[in-house]
Amino acid sequence: MRPYHCLLLLPVIACASKPPPKPVYSTAETMPHDELVARQTQGHGALPGKPHHGHGGGHHGHGGPLVHRFEKAEDWAKEFDDPARDAWQKPAEVVAAMRITPGLVVADIGAGTGYFEPHLSRAVGPSGKVLALDVEADMVRYLRERAVKEKLDNVEARQVGLSDPGLGQATVDRVLIVDTWHHIDGRKDYAAKLKDGLKPGGLLVIVDFTMEATKGPPKEHRITPEAMIAELEAAGLKAETIQETLPDQYIVIAKKP
Ligand SMILES: C[S@@+](CC[C@H](N)C(=O)[O-])C[C@H]1O[C@@H](n2cnc3c(N)ncnc32)[C@H](O)[C@@H]1O
């Protein structure tokens, strides 16, 4: 068993047998994450615990996004920050593809335990800013503590909603989304929000698993580069895959005109 498969044993979130009466939420954005996960998985059992990077024991709906919780940051850190990950994730190559110059503002959406934050922090330098965004409160707590511990003074962690990265209008130069796009519901609308948040000429860089990869989410939740490009172009971004050497993933870069 490879080290990044170890978290398959994490407990899944079980739906309570007698839930209290459901409150009414206008959108997924205002709905607590627990509630959204429970509703999206009604009628779907948890998949058997197959080995996937970051997807142990999750809840899944066929054809839709892969929705499950990433609680207990310290546990996830063992997988996300496993030094062996560098060999296939190639963070230096990913960050080089972002064409970051000192002073830029970069948002890392679905930042998790902050695997990319030291790289992004170095790339933007003291005059730049890294917004490390995640839906999980415990990930944000971990990101804040990590930034202090590792003296990443230009990294600011924020909790965001499931369907809104909360970026100010035309405030960021680069957006990075690694191993997270396939978790997002309503991706075309989400892409439009990313476009709004980017400055003109800004870049959105998405890294996700190929259909052939031996790690990653279940195949029914993977997204082909063509489908991803279509989602991004529907939002008015100009998107393309780039040449890279990642063994299990592809990189799509989308530009705000
Ligand atoms: C597989 S992890 C990837 C973490 C990190 N990008 C990395 O490469 O190590 C996915 C992360 O995305 C977060 N996430 C899932 N859906 C999200 C959403 N709609 N907005 C922001 N974060 C989200 C999860 O809480 C989790 O921390």
Side-chain angles (χ1 to χ4, degrees), residues 61 176 181:
L176 176 66
W181 190 248

Side-chain angles (χ1 to χ4, degrees), residues 28-29 36 38 91 99-100 117 122 136 165 221 254:
E29 181 60 23
L36 182 69
R99 287 181 268 155
I100 295 172
E117 270 43 58
R122 263 195 309 278
E136 291 286 354
H221 293 288

